[in-house]
Amino acid sequence: MLKIGLTGGIGSGKSEVARRLSAAGAMVIDADKIAREVVEPGTPGLARVVATFGEEVLRPDGSLNREKLGSLVFADSERLAALNAIVHPLVGERVAELQRAAADDTILVYDVPLLVENNLAPMYDVVIVVDAPDGLRIRRLAEHRGMPEADAKARIAAQATREERLAAADFVIPNDGSLEELDARVAEVWQELLGRAARG
């Protein structure tokens, strides 16, 4: 089983690459998606979040109000640590479950936005970094997510620098050209991964 850490700064197009690797045959584990699943209505995770942060983090329908919770923890490191202490172990359990269910020859791709920031590179056999210049990422965040430029710049500034991310990479997938160029580079990297998996 080959474990790949896939990362890239916000707006780099990491999700596009994850989709292509999945289509090629990888099993993609999306940490953010799992983090949302473990606090869905009716889960022990959501019950713990409410016990810690109060009913005001719920929407009228009983689901988690992420924006409200985000505003509570974003500027308060202790509250953020409390939230992480609830969510991270639940995500870890779910990831371990998915891993156990995978065949031995699976190429597992972990979509991990903050891989470099959290020093997680040693956990993976291979680290792939999706790279795009900051200016292009800011433009994408404005166009695709409607994010104001100041917010996009703040998000980028809060993450690892391009240089830090590239220093952790075994493979770099540039995503500043056409989709055809992206397809070609992903296909190249996939062949390399298949070769590594075969060598064991």
Side-chain angles (χ1 to χ4, degrees):
M1 191 178 284
L2 194 64
K3 293 180 184 174
I4 316 294
L6 173 67
T7 195
I10 189 169
S12 62
K14 180 173 55 61
S15 304
E16 286 293 326
V17 171
R19 263 199 295 281
R20 284 163 172 75
L21 289 171
S22 175
M27 177 176 172
V28 176
I29 294 179
D30 181 340
D32 276 359
K33 186 167 165 244
I34 294 170
R36 288 192 293 274
E37 286 170 6
V38 299
V39 289
E40 281 178 352
T43 59
L46 183 59
R48 278 188 235 158
V49 169
V50 173
T52 305
F53 296 96
E55 299 276 339
E56 75 262 25
V57 298
L58 291 177
R59 297 188 187 281
D61 67 0
S63 65
L64 183 62
N65 183 334
R66 293 179 178 286
E67 293 73 26
K68 177 76 178 160
L69 182 60
S71 68
L72 293 177
V73 302
F74 193 63
D76 185 331
S77 57
E78 276 179 28
R79 294 187 98 175
L80 180 59
L83 177 63
N84 288 340
I86 295 167
V87 176
H88 287 178
L90 294 169
V91 171
E93 281 168 33
R94 182 70 184 124
V95 167
E97 238 173 75
L98 292 168
Q99 248 175 250
R100 282 193 300 273
D104 290 343
D105 61 351
T106 303
I107 295 180
L108 275 173
V109 174
Y110 297 85
D111 182 335
V112 189
L114 301 178
L115 182 145
V116 173
E117 292 81 349
N118 293 326
N119 298 312
L120 301 176
M123 291 175 58
Y124 305 101
D125 302 314
V126 176
V127 172
I128 299 174
V129 171
V130 183
D131 181 55
D134 291 356
L136 177 58
R137 291 163 58 202
I138 291 165
R139 206 160 62 244
R140 281 181 185 153
L141 290 169
E143 286 169 16
H144 303 300
R145 300 194 200 176
M147 195 180 285
E149 189 175 323
D151 289 4
K153 284 181 175 170
R155 288 285 188 90
I156 287 172
Q159 293 186 342
T161 64
R162 244 180 118 179
E163 292 69 31
E164 288 165 337
R165 220 175 270 112
L166 293 172
D170 295 297
F171 294 106
V172 176
I173 297 183
N175 187 16
D176 55 359
S178 66
L179 287 177
E180 290 72 26
E181 288 168 312
L182 183 64
D183 288 339
R185 180 62 184 141
V186 171
E188 269 171 35
V189 169
W190 180 248
Q191 288 308 314
E192 285 276 347
L193 297 177
L194 289 175
R196 287 196 187 204
R199 291 193 295 274

